[in-house]
């Protein structure tokens, strides 16, 4: 049997338990600790254990258990108030407010009991001398819940008018409640103004800004401030995700996703918290959660996804439609219980309004990995096919007059489709392919003329790869049969180009040469037009451009020293492009389709120039290509060349042209852009903007890139890279929580094979930075250590060393002293191997401080600090000897030559490091006084180090003025402790003389401290 705890052990156990995650395990431990407290026979121990129970119940899904320990506490207070200390008296009165809210949350508690409790609370607060502010706040909560708006407004006014005292809720919680009421009353703007101090970090508590961020989501959407709403979701959900007691706020985030087109994200959130469907200890938050579940499931059902499998209560498989019915029934049943207790219909009305809330934003990309739910009625395009060659088959040979009328109507519709398809073909619109597919479907049972059948086959071949070759050749036969030999040659040319793309380049070139001779002869005889002739020439030119790509690929894979690509490959391709240009330029002004062939010729010339590293010629030709396509009314063909222009311009150092071209690509692509293309262009623009310092706009475009990659089904490839970039842009703006959420979403999809190990290391590095800023040091250390494990295999080890050092710092902040020391030791070895004395010295100093905290004696800490001093001193000596010498400083570990300026900067850095080491050694010693008898000797030793630090910093001038004045003040305080008043005053005056050369707040802080020390030392009464 384990011995009973003593009181101190009990208190430590309660403190440790309160630091555990919310949930049943923590509650059970609190119940056990109450049993242990009762064994002690100390009333205060029982009081504290009951108070601990109350706290953990309140911050959990078992809030209904609060009433029993509180009733016992209140009875103990009434019977023996002398058993309570000041803190427990305060706590007892504080949790009166929790009881009021707790009663409202439980529909089985009668309304009369709640009203009676309000009176009891008011009476006890008055007896204790407290303001009525907390009482009026509680009354407001009751009235607002009942829907008694007049009483709620009166209580609200009285709440704000009453004095704040020790019983008032914290500022953050009060502002949340006040803003919530303004939002309920339709004043979203005023609500957000009230919430601003909480959102900006001025006020916070255990549950804020968590609930304010959640409550702000719909008001921001209603006001059209969608970017802020997105940011609040990413930041806020991160805060509530692990807190079991925040089901209501969690529901707000699910609701936000449901009304912004992020249904898939909402389902992911539901899947993370399966217990929320069934936890019954807090009926009010369950009502909120089930209402939002109903809203989401109704939304999915409306999108035609009612049969989709969704997360739901354990015990059965749920579809969206089935869960919609269940959740609505649960929500309305709970609402009815509250209304029966309250004698109103207010709760049910609000629940119905929430479940029936309309979509507020059809599309709001969040950046995290998610796939948009498809809408109802959306069908995949039907593949085009070759129509029947005669009218027989589909409807039979004879029919009624009704059939005849139907046939006449169908024929009229077919004529319209044919007219549209021919027009789109003449304009070279990408929509022509689907238009001819529609003709093909509508033509079943009707006879098309042979030229139209040729066009159907021709367009059906497009986009089919190798499977399209036979269709192109069939189209050529039909064009020839229709008496259009030029278009027949063009269709054969298209077949030849597809053959080249599938490995038959030489065969395609042979065919292309024959077709060129034939079409030029035909054109000379007047047997075909410019457009058909250009189609044949462009097919051959494309094939030659493909041969250039093949030659370059062969060169890249060839052994070093092998022959380069044949110059005639480039020359022949250029000649073909110029031949095409010469043909079409005289005719382009009258025919947009012909003009577009000229634009394509310019594009080929630009591409060839780029491959020849002639950037200026490439820009000129590609610009002509883009302008030509736009002038021809075919801007969608310009997109590829806009994007190419952007890349070349960035390489040439012309970011303005790069940005213009990337934006033009998006504009020219318009609705014709496929999702993957949209994602690529958005990401290209984001990278260009970031390179020019426009990080905010870059983040917006990276967000769009992530969204479009998800739409394209490339969430794990292009989408992961876009999220990686987006996270980095958000981090650069200091938006730590948003960046962390995005980067964590990207990380599972990043792979060394697809994205490279560098991207994984950088993502984890950034995550470590974010989590450090958010105070999540253990998580930061884990990411940095895992990144270091990848970087340890790289030839260059600086990243490995830095990551190990950062992980050590994070482990230290997380209180994992032993692990931190091991990581610092690992970093120190790496810094030494790299010849980076500064890094090595910092790791030794950090280990010294850790040793001082870990050990009662300072022997280990002193040894480490002395080692740091030796490393510094040795490096300073080497650097000093090397000043003015060519090449790297001896022993510096540099693998490259240093310029004189670089050598001088390196010397200043290591000298400064020596000063910082003396300063820290002095601080460490001063904080280690073992007993009063030895204090003087310890202070003298510390002062010696500080004096040496000041001497080291002084020659470095204003660069180290902050460090020097800090050391001077520390030395002055030691002089004072040693009774050397004049020396202490002199050091204070030295700091005051230096203050004008310090900046802003630092100067003011130094001045204030120095004046205080000087005045104290010069005061006569202290003499």
């Amino acid at each position: 049997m384990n011995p009973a705890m003593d009181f101190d052990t009990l208190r430590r156990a309660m403190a440790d338990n309160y630091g555990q995650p919310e949930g049943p395990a923590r509650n059970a431990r609190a119940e056990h600790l109450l049993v242990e407290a009762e064994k002690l026979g100390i009333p205060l121990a029982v009081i504290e254990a009951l108070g601990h129970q109350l706290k953990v119940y309140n911050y959990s899904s078992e809030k209904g258990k609060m009433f029993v320990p509180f009733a016992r506490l209140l009875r103990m207070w009434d019977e023996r108030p002398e058993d309570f200390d000041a803190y427990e008296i305060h706590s007892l009165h504080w949790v009166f407010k929790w009881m009021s809210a707790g009663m409202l949350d439980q529909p089985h508690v009668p309304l009369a009991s709640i009203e009676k409790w309000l009176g009891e609370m008011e009476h006890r607060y008055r007896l204790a001398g407290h303001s009525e502010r907390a009482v009026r706040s509680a009354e407001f909560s009751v009235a607002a819940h009942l829907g008694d708006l007049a009483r709620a407004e009166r209580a609200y006014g009285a709440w704000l008018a009453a004095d704040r005292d020790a019983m008032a809720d914290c500022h953050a919680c009060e502002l949340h409640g006040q803003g919530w009421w303004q939002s309920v009353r339709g004043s979203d703007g005023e609500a957000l103004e009230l919430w601003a101090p909480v959102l900006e970090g001025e006020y916070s508590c255990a549950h804020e800004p968590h609930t304010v961020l959640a409550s702000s989501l719909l008001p921001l959407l209603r006001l059209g401030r969608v970017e802020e709403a997105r940011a609040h979701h990413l930041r806020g959900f991160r805060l509530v995700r692990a807190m079991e007691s925040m089901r209501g706020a969690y529901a707000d985030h699910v609701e936000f996703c449901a009304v912004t087109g992020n249904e898939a994200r909402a389902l992911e959130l539901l899947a993370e918290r399966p217990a929320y469907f069934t936890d019954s200890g807090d009926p009010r938050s369950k009502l909120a959660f089930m209402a939002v579940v109903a809203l989401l499931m109704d939304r999915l059902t409306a999108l035609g996804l009612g049969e989709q499998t969704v997360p739901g209560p354990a015990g059965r498989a749920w579809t969206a439609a089935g869960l919609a019915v269940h959740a609505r029934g649960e929500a309305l049943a709970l609402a009815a219980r509250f209304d029966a207790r309250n004698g109103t219909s207010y709760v049910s009305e609000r629940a119905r309004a929430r479940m029936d809330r309309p979509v507020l934003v059809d599309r709001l990309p969040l950046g995290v990995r998610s796939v948009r739910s498809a809408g109802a009625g959306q069908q995949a395009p039907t593949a085009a096919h070759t129509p029947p060659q005669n009218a027989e088959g589909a409807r039979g040979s004879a029919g009624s007059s009704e059939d005849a009328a139907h046939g006449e109507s169908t024929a009229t519709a077919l004529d319209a489709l044919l007219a549209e398809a021919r027009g789109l073909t003449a304009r070279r619109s990408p929509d022509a392919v689907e238009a001819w597919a529609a003709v093909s479907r509508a033509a079943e049972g009707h006879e098309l003329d042979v030229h139209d059948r040729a066009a159907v086959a021709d367009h059906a071949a497009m986009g089919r790869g190798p499977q399209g070759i036979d269709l192109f050749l069939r189209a050529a036969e039909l064009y020839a049969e229709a008496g259009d030999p030029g278009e027949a040659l063009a269709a054969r040319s298209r077949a030849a180009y597809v053959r080249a793309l599938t490995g038959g380049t030489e065969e395609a070139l042979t065919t292309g040469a024959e077709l060129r001779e034939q079409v030029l002869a035909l054109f000379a005889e007047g047997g075909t037009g410019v457009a058909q002739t250009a189609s044949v020439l462009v097919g051959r030119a494309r094939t030659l451009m493909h041969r250039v790509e093949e030659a370059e690929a062969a060169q890249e894979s060839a052994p070093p020293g092998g022959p380069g690509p044949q110059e005639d490959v480039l020359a022949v391709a250029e000649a073909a492009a110029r031949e095409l240009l010469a043909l079409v330029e005289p005719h382009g002004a009258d025919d947009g389709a012909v003009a577009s062939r000229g634009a394509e010729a310019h594009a080929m010339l630009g591409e060839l120039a780029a491959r020849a590293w002639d950037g200026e010629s490439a820009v000129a030709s590609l610009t002509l290509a883009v302008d030509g396509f736009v002038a021809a009314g075919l801007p969608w063909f310009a997109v590829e060349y806009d994007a190419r222009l952007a890349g070349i311009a960035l390489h040439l150092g012309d970011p303005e042209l790069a940005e213009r071209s990337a934006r033009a690509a998006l504009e020219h692509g318009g609705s014709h852009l496929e999702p993957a293309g949209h994602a690529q262009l958005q990401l290209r623009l984001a990278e260009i903007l970031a390179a020019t310092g426009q990080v905010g706009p870059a983040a917006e475009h990276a967000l769009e890139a992530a969204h479009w990659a998800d739409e394209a089904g490339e969430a794990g490839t292009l989408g992961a890279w876009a999220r990686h970039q987006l996270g980095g842009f958000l981090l650069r703006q200091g938006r730590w929580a948003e960046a962390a959420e995005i980067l964590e979403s990207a990380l599972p999809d990043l792979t060394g094979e697809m994205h490279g190990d560098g991207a994984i290391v950088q993502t984890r590095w950034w995550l470590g930075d974010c989590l450090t800023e958010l105070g999540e040091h253990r998580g930061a250390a884990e990411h940095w250590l895992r990144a270091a494990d990848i970087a340890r295999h790289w030839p260059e080890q600086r990243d490995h060393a830095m990551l190990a050092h950062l992980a050590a710092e994070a482990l230290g902040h997380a209180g994992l002293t032993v692990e931190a020391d091991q990581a610092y030791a690992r970093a120190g070895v790496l810094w030494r191997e790299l010849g980076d004395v500064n890094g090595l010295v910092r790791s030794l100093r950090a280990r010294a401080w850790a040793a001082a905290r870990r050990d009662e004696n300072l022997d280990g800490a002193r040894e480490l600090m002395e080692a740091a001093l030796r490393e510094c001193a040795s490096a300073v000596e080497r650097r000093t000897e090397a000043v003015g010498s060519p090449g790297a400083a001896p022993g510096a570990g540099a693998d490259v030559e240093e310029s004189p300026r670089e050598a001088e900067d390196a010397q200043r850095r290591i000298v400064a490091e020596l000063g910082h080491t003396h300063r820290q050694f002095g601080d460490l010693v001063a904080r280690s006084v073992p007993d009063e008898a030895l204090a003087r000797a310890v202070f003298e030793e510390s002062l010696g180090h500080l004096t040496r630090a000041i001497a080291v910093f002084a020659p470095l001038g204003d660069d180290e003025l902050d460090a020097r004045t800090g050391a001077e003040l520390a030395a002055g305080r030691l002089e004072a402790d040693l009774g050397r008043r004049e020396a202490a005053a002199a050091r204070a005056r030295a700091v005051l003389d230096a203050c004008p050369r310090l900046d802003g707040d630092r100067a003011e802080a130094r001045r204030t401290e120095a004046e205080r020390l000087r005045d104290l030392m010069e005061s006569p009464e202290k003499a």
Side-chain angles (χ1 to χ4, degrees):
M1 179 179 294
N2 293 328
M5 295 181 176
D6 60 28
F7 200 176
D8 287 340
T9 304
L10 175 71
R11 283 173 164 163
R12 286 195 297 271
M14 289 190 293
D16 177 69
N17 190 49
Y18 194 66
Q20 298 303 307
E22 296 176 353
R26 187 172 74 157
N27 295 353
R29 176 65 173 160
E31 291 161 3
H32 170 73
L33 291 174
L34 176 59
V35 173
E36 293 296 321
E38 289 169 336
K39 294 177 182 177
L40 295 177
I42 302 173
L44 184 59
V46 176
I47 290 167
E48 290 185 12
L50 287 167
H52 174 63
Q53 234 186 38
L54 267 171
K55 289 178 184 177
V56 299
Y57 285 156
N58 185 58
Y59 296 115
S60 78
S61 62
E62 297 181 306
K63 289 186 178 182
K65 291 185 174 182
M66 289 192 303
F67 302 111
V68 172
F70 182 74
R72 184 176 173 187
L73 267 176
L74 195 57
R75 186 171 64 252
M76 292 176 73
W77 166 253
D78 288 337
E79 293 173 355
R80 290 182 56 86
E82 64 272 17
D83 289 340
F84 288 70
D85 62 16
Y87 178 80
E88 294 304 329
I89 293 171
H90 173 87
S91 296
L92 176 69
H93 286 82
W94 183 266
V95 296
F96 266 83
K97 300 178 295 181
W98 295 357
M99 294 304 107
S100 297
M103 289 179 178
L104 278 180
D105 294 344
Q106 303 293 331
H108 69 273
V109 178
L111 184 59
S113 297
I114 296 173
E115 296 287 3
K116 181 181 177 182
W117 181 255
L118 272 177
E120 178 76 9
M121 179 181 175
E122 183 172 9
H123 172 69
R124 288 181 179 267
Y125 272 40
R126 188 181 301 114
L127 286 178
H130 296 308
S131 162
E132 67 171 15
R133 188 178 183 94
V135 177
R136 298 285 78 82
S137 172
E139 182 187 6
F140 160 76
S141 297
V142 172
H145 171 68
L146 297 175
D148 187 343
L149 303 186
R151 182 187 178 191
E153 287 288 5
R154 290 194 303 273
Y156 182 84
W159 167 25
L160 270 59
D163 292 335
R164 279 189 57 83
D165 67 350
M167 284 298 112
D169 281 339
C170 74
H171 281 289
C173 288
E174 283 206 333
L175 289 173
H176 173 246
Q178 292 162 20
W180 171 83
W181 181 241
Q182 296 305 322
S183 178
V184 168
R185 303 294 280 152
S187 300
D188 289 332
E190 189 170 343
L192 288 162
E193 288 181 16
L194 284 164
W195 289 330
V198 182
L199 295 170
E200 293 165 6
E202 184 178 350
Y203 301 121
S204 63
C205 68
H207 277 188
E208 295 297 353
H210 313 42
T211 56
V212 164
L213 285 164
S215 296
S216 71
L217 296 173
L218 294 191
L220 285 168
L221 291 177
R222 288 192 290 260
L223 291 172
R225 293 158 61 176
V226 294
E227 291 80 10
E228 291 175 73
R230 177 198 300 116
H232 286 200
H233 168 64
L234 294 175
R235 177 183 163 201
F237 180 68
R238 185 174 190 82
L239 293 173
V240 305
R241 171 183 271 143
M243 299 183 72
E244 187 204 39
S245 64
M246 303 206 71
R247 179 163 54 182
Y250 201 99
D252 291 341
H253 286 281
V254 176
E255 179 179 33
F256 166 80
C257 294
V259 298
T260 57
N262 289 287
E263 298 85 5
R265 164 80 168 172
L267 290 175
E268 292 170 3
L269 268 54
L270 293 186
E272 286 191 29
R273 278 293 187 181
Y276 277 173
F277 288 99
T278 53
D279 283 345
S280 58
D282 183 8
R284 197 171 175 188
S285 72
K286 185 178 182 182
L287 165 57
F289 184 77
M290 297 309 291
V292 165
V293 171
L295 167 69
L296 172 62
M297 297 306 143
D298 283 345
R299 171 71 177 150
L300 290 171
T301 302
L303 289 171
L305 301 171
E307 296 309 307
Q308 178 175 325
T309 301
V310 294
R316 58 169 281 192
W318 293 93
T319 63
L323 186 55
V325 174
H326 172 79
R328 182 173 288 268
E330 283 266 299
L332 290 176
L334 282 166
R337 289 177 59 199
F338 281 106
D339 284 342
R341 187 267 305 274
N342 299 340
T344 70
S345 60
Y346 185 70
V347 174
S348 294
E349 291 168 3
R350 287 181 59 81
R352 287 191 177 89
R354 190 169 198 179
M355 289 186 285
D356 297 337
R357 192 183 306 282
V359 172
L360 297 178
V361 179
D362 182 61
R363 171 185 174 274
L364 179 58
L366 301 178
V368 292
R369 193 185 201 278
S370 189
V371 180
R372 181 175 170 82
S373 302
Q378 294 179 345
Q379 298 177 348
T382 303
H385 58 276
T386 305
Q389 299 304 303
N390 54 55
E392 295 177 4
R395 293 189 55 82
S397 57
S400 64
S401 59
E402 184 177 353
D403 289 337
H406 177 78
E408 184 177 342
S409 173
T410 304
T412 302
L414 179 59
D415 289 342
L417 290 173
L418 280 166
E420 181 182 12
R422 290 165 185 159
L424 290 170
T425 301
R427 297 194 298 275
R428 293 193 64 200
S429 169
D431 293 333
V433 172
E434 176 54 31
W436 282 107
V439 167
S440 174
R441 292 190 294 271
E444 294 186 15
H446 296 270
E447 181 69 50
L448 291 177
D449 70 40
V450 66
H451 199 281
D452 288 333
R453 296 206 306 275
V456 167
D458 201 1
H459 287 82
M462 297 175 185
R464 290 197 174 188
Q467 291 73 35
I469 293 175
D470 289 341
L471 275 173
F472 277 131
L473 295 177
R474 174 60 179 157
E477 293 174 358
L478 292 169
Y479 282 131
E481 182 183 338
D484 191 346
E487 202 60 59
L489 292 173
R492 290 177 60 195
S493 179
R494 288 189 278 277
Y497 177 56
V498 173
R499 196 174 299 281
L501 295 179
T502 54
T505 302
E506 294 306 319
E507 179 186 351
L509 285 173
T510 300
T511 302
E514 295 172 356
L515 294 173
R516 171 182 174 274
E517 296 297 329
Q518 293 174 29
V519 80
L520 288 176
L522 188 63
F523 177 65
E525 298 168 358
T528 193
V530 176
Q532 290 80 8
T533 306
S535 291
V536 175
L537 295 185
V538 83
R540 176 172 176 267
R542 288 173 179 171
T543 303
L544 288 166
M545 291 295 294
H546 179 65
R547 186 170 67 165
V548 169
E549 294 172 2
E550 288 182 328
E552 287 192 350
Q555 181 187 11
E556 290 175 1
S557 60
Q566 298 177 358
E567 290 187 7
D568 67 334
V569 172
L570 298 172
V572 171
E574 181 179 350
R578 293 196 182 281
E579 179 184 43
L580 171 63
L581 194 58
L583 170 71
V584 299
E585 275 192 324
H587 308 281
D590 302 323
D591 189 329
V594 171
S596 72
R597 297 302 189 189
E600 187 168 357
H602 282 301
M604 293 177 184
L605 293 172
E607 186 63 40
L608 290 168
R611 292 174 184 276
W613 301 101
D614 184 355
E616 293 184 0
S617 296
V619 167
S621 292
L622 290 171
T623 300
L624 287 172
V626 168
D627 292 345
F629 282 124
V630 173
L634 303 170
W636 44 85
F637 285 119
V639 173
E640 178 182 351
Y641 309 109
D642 282 317
R644 191 78 171 100
L645 254 178
I648 294 172
L650 201 59
H651 179 74
L652 293 175
D654 189 345
E656 292 183 3
L657 175 59
E659 181 180 343
R660 282 201 309 274
S661 299
R663 291 189 185 280
L666 286 166
E667 178 185 350
H668 291 152
S671 61
H672 295 290
L673 272 177
E674 293 292 329
H678 211 131
Q680 291 165 347
L681 290 174
Q682 292 283 3
L683 192 53
R684 169 61 63 88
L685 180 54
E687 291 168 347
I688 291 169
L689 292 169
T692 58
Q694 302 177 69
V695 182
E700 295 173 10
H701 289 284
L703 176 69
E704 286 292 324
H707 166 78
W708 285 109
D710 290 347
E711 292 281 295
E714 297 188 21
T717 51
L718 180 59
W721 180 252
R723 275 180 271 279
H724 162 81
Q725 295 282 60
L726 173 58
F729 298 149
L730 292 171
L731 178 142
R732 288 168 63 180
Q733 297 175 76
R735 296 161 66 177
W736 314 111
E738 297 168 66
E741 195 73 13
I742 298 298
L743 292 168
E744 286 173 348
S745 178
L747 194 55
D749 290 321
L750 292 172
T751 65
E753 296 77 15
M754 176 63 66
H755 306 96
D757 284 343
I760 299 172
V761 168
Q762 183 65 81
T763 299
R764 290 196 181 278
W765 197 322
W766 283 338
L767 266 170
D769 291 340
C770 291
L771 297 181
T772 296
E773 293 291 339
L774 295 170
E776 300 176 32
H777 299 293
R778 193 163 190 159
E782 180 182 348
H783 283 295
W784 281 331
L785 286 172
R786 294 182 69 176
D789 283 341
I790 298 173
R792 68 189 299 191
H793 302 294
W794 293 354
E796 213 293 313
Q797 287 289 283
R798 187 161 297 276
D799 284 341
H800 183 195
M802 181 60 73
L803 286 162
H805 200 112
L806 288 169
E809 290 180 356
L811 289 166
H813 287 305
L816 301 170
T817 309
V818 174
E819 292 85 350
D821 183 70
Q822 293 170 348
Y824 275 125
R826 173 183 176 183
V829 170
L830 293 166
W831 290 131
R832 188 183 295 280
E833 291 173 354
L834 288 165
D836 190 321
V837 181
N838 301 70
L840 172 59
V841 167
R842 289 172 185 173
S843 67
L844 287 168
R845 289 200 309 250
R847 293 184 66 197
W849 282 107
R853 288 190 295 269
R854 189 173 62 247
D855 303 327
E856 290 186 5
N857 67 70
L858 288 180
D859 291 345
R862 283 176 177 276
E863 288 177 7
L864 288 162
M865 201 67 84
E866 286 166 357
L869 278 178
R870 287 195 300 272
E871 295 290 348
C872 274
S874 177
V876 168
E877 183 179 353
R878 291 195 303 272
R879 283 283 178 186
T880 302
E881 292 173 354
V883 170
S885 301
D895 295 326
V896 295
E897 294 277 318
E898 286 181 338
S899 69
R901 177 62 182 273
E902 289 171 335
E904 182 182 348
D905 288 345
Q907 183 188 22
R908 290 178 66 84
R909 287 195 300 273
I910 193 59
V911 169
E913 210 66 74
L914 177 61
H916 288 295
T917 305
H918 273 302
R919 166 66 199 270
Q920 291 196 31
F921 205 160
D923 287 347
L924 184 144
V925 170
R927 298 178 190 184
S928 64
V929 180
D931 57 61
E932 201 169 323
L934 299 175
R936 189 170 189 85
V938 170
F939 288 167
E940 291 285 8
E941 182 186 358
S942 175
L943 184 59
H945 283 295
L946 291 172
T947 301
R948 286 191 284 277
I950 294 164
V952 172
F953 288 139
L956 299 177
D958 288 356
D959 287 347
E960 295 295 334
L961 188 59
D962 181 35
R964 181 170 74 79
T965 54
E968 194 85 66
L969 279 170
R973 289 190 293 269
L974 284 172
E975 300 274 24
D977 290 338
L978 290 166
R980 300 168 186 164
R981 300 174 60 79
E982 181 52 40
R987 291 189 184 277
R989 288 192 292 271
V991 173
L992 289 172
D993 290 341
C995 280
R997 304 202 306 279
L998 289 171
D999 294 329
D1001 293 342
R1002 175 59 66 190
E1004 186 59 32
R1006 289 278 190 264
R1007 183 180 294 108
T1008 300
E1009 191 173 354
E1011 287 174 346
R1012 185 182 299 118
L1013 178 61
R1014 179 201 61 189
D1015 295 345
L1016 184 64
M1017 293 299 98
E1018 293 180 347
S1019 173
E1021 62 270 19
K1022 297 293 182 182

